[in-house]
Amino acid sequence: MNKKVLVIGSANIDYVYNVDKYPVEGETIVATSFSKFLGGKGANQALAVKIMNADVSFVCKIGEDNDGYEIIENLTNNKVNLPFITKSEKYNTGCAGIVIEKNGNNRIIVHPGANDDFDDKDIEKISQLFAEYEYLLIQLEVNLNFIEKIVDLAYRNDIKVILNPAPFKKISKSIIEKCFLIIPNETEFSKLIGKENIKDIKIIEVEAKNFVKNYKTNLLITLGEKGSLYISEEKSLYKKAISVKAIDTTAAGDTFIGGFIRTISKGGTLSEALDFATFASSITVTRRGAQVSIPSEDEVLDKMKEKPIQ
Ligand code: RIB
């Protein structure tokens, strides 16, 4: 039977500027193109699970504005279950400014807006949903005081908490220990352990094993072009990335996480989940935009048939 997934997190409007090269300090440059997309790590991940054909529910907080309306309309059109919709009375819907260079790499600045306005009333409503879910997927793009409380509550309700610590914020030991799985990228992992950007996979693996032992959690580190690494007390599993020509890496991590959770929630093995996630994100980076770049389950499965992972 499918295990039910609840995602709680951000929903943004992304303002995307494509440039040949990032401007240096004090420089003004002209973008080669500009687009507006639907994004936000929470919404991207929830949508990814759904588009790749698994059941998911999503709770987000929007402003009382057209942007919020557009976000909800798109999630509804894509059949993401929205148990309830919360609106901030104080803030507008969150947004992000994204600059993308020719090689597809991005720099993102998020303005949280309504995403940062989750409060105790939301916690009360969310707690009434808990009995239905096996997994809670959450990111750090919403207010930290809310994350502390909701993670604790989920943990006490025997829900497996999966945390994507992005964008990175310093989190307490008590949050980490309540997570069943933490999915950082390599930069976020370095920050999580208070070290300079570690690039060497061997060193990352050693540090990851120590982390898992100390905090009694599991880790899945996404390594961009270098692949991904899963570490638990019992297992260590590395998967290579698939080499493609990237034009926009926005939401590659979100698609990876969505693809991984889609497979686990449908009873797939860890190795199957990593393979599916790897193929899914390799498609996303060949398309522009966040949510519009997420492939369907069939697209991913077709690609997997073409070129199985070594
Ligand atoms: O992970 C990509 C997302 O980060 C973008 O959609 C943007 O909204 C930010 O949340």
Side-chain angles (χ1 to χ4, degrees):
M1 213 186 71
N2 290 356
K3 295 171 177 173
K4 288 189 83 179
V5 181
L6 173 65
V7 182
I8 305 175
S10 58
N12 293 330
I13 298 290
D14 292 348
Y15 296 92
V16 182
Y17 301 84
N18 288 93
V19 298
D20 286 333
K21 233 178 159 313
Y22 296 128
V24 295
E25 196 177 306
E27 187 185 20
T28 302
I29 61 165
V30 177
T32 52
S33 64
F34 169 79
S35 322
K36 200 176 149 196
F37 290 112
L38 295 169
K41 294 183 194 304
N44 297 347
Q45 292 174 22
L47 210 79
V49 176
K50 186 67 205 178
I51 290 178
M52 294 189 278
N53 202 20
D55 261 354
V56 69
S57 299
F58 180 49
V59 174
C60 63
K61 196 142 192 173
I62 51 167
E64 293 188 2
D65 46 33
N66 279 338
D67 288 345
Y69 175 78
E70 230 185 288
I71 286 168
I72 297 303
E73 192 184 32
N74 180 55
L75 291 165
T76 311
N77 288 345
N78 280 289
K79 304 202 167 39
V80 173
N81 179 41
L82 303 170
F84 53 84
I85 294 162
T86 55
K87 288 190 179 171
S88 169
E89 288 166 12
K90 286 193 259 172
Y91 303 117
N92 287 335
T93 297
C95 59
I98 304 183
V99 184
I100 300 174
E101 263 191 352
K102 260 186 175 166
N103 60 6
N105 288 334
N106 63 43
R107 295 190 180 180
I108 304 182
I109 301 175
V110 171
H111 181 258
N115 296 310
D116 249 357
D117 198 26
F118 278 94
D119 56 25
D120 287 349
K121 280 194 217 136
D122 299 317
I123 294 183
E124 175 58 33
K125 283 201 234 161
I126 294 167
S127 66
Q128 287 166 23
L129 304 172
F130 273 168
E132 289 176 46
Y133 296 95
E134 166 117 18
Y135 295 106
L136 166 66
L137 170 62
I138 194 158
Q139 313 74 27
L140 296 181
E141 217 164 53
V142 297
N143 40 318
L144 214 51
N145 58 342
F146 164 76
I147 292 173
E148 288 268 359
K149 290 183 187 170
I150 210 73
V151 167
D152 177 62
L153 204 61
Y155 177 78
R156 285 193 279 116
N157 279 274
D158 287 329
I159 294 175
K160 293 188 175 115
V161 178
I162 301 177
L163 172 70
N164 169 223
F168 185 80
K169 293 175 185 167
K170 222 170 165 354
I171 47 172
S172 67
K173 187 168 181 272
S174 122
I175 294 191
I176 299 175
E177 285 172 343
K178 286 171 188 147
C179 291
F180 163 72
L181 173 66
I182 302 183
I183 314 184
N185 64 21
E186 57 187 314
T187 315
E188 288 146 9
F189 177 63
S190 295
K191 289 187 176 163
L192 206 55
I193 59 170
K195 299 239 160 119
E196 280 297 302
N197 229 342
I198 312 172
K199 295 272 174 212
D200 185 315
I201 300 184
K202 291 228 165 63
I203 303 178
I204 292 179
E205 186 171 1
V206 171
E207 294 287 356
K209 283 184 177 161
N210 288 335
F211 186 91
V212 162
K213 204 163 163 222
N214 289 342
Y215 292 102
K216 304 270 170 290
T217 182
N218 303 305
L219 263 178
L220 169 55
I221 306 174
T222 57
L223 305 162
E225 297 168 338
K226 295 188 294 242
S228 60
L229 180 65
Y230 178 90
I231 305 277
S232 68
E233 288 228 71
E234 307 76 40
K235 264 194 212 158
S236 177
L237 191 54
Y238 168 73
K239 293 277 179 182
K240 275 194 206 156
I242 295 171
S243 162
V244 288
K245 187 166 171 4
I247 61 160
D248 180 354
T249 54
T250 312
D254 298 330
T255 305
F256 184 94
I257 293 170
F260 179 82
I261 286 167
R262 161 256 176 218
T263 312
I264 294 292
S265 76
K266 288 175 139 197
T269 64
L270 178 63
S271 180
E272 285 164 351
L274 291 175
D275 286 349
F276 188 91
T278 302
F279 275 96
S281 57
S282 81
I283 299 174
T284 295
V285 299
T286 63
R287 300 173 177 172
R288 293 195 196 283
Q291 293 170 15
V292 283
S293 70
I294 301 167
S296 68
E297 179 181 58
D298 283 348
E299 284 177 279
V300 181
L301 293 176
D302 284 349
K303 183 132 195 225
M304 290 176 85
K305 277 188 222 140
E306 266 169 41
K307 197 180 168 192
I309 282 190
Q310 306 306 309

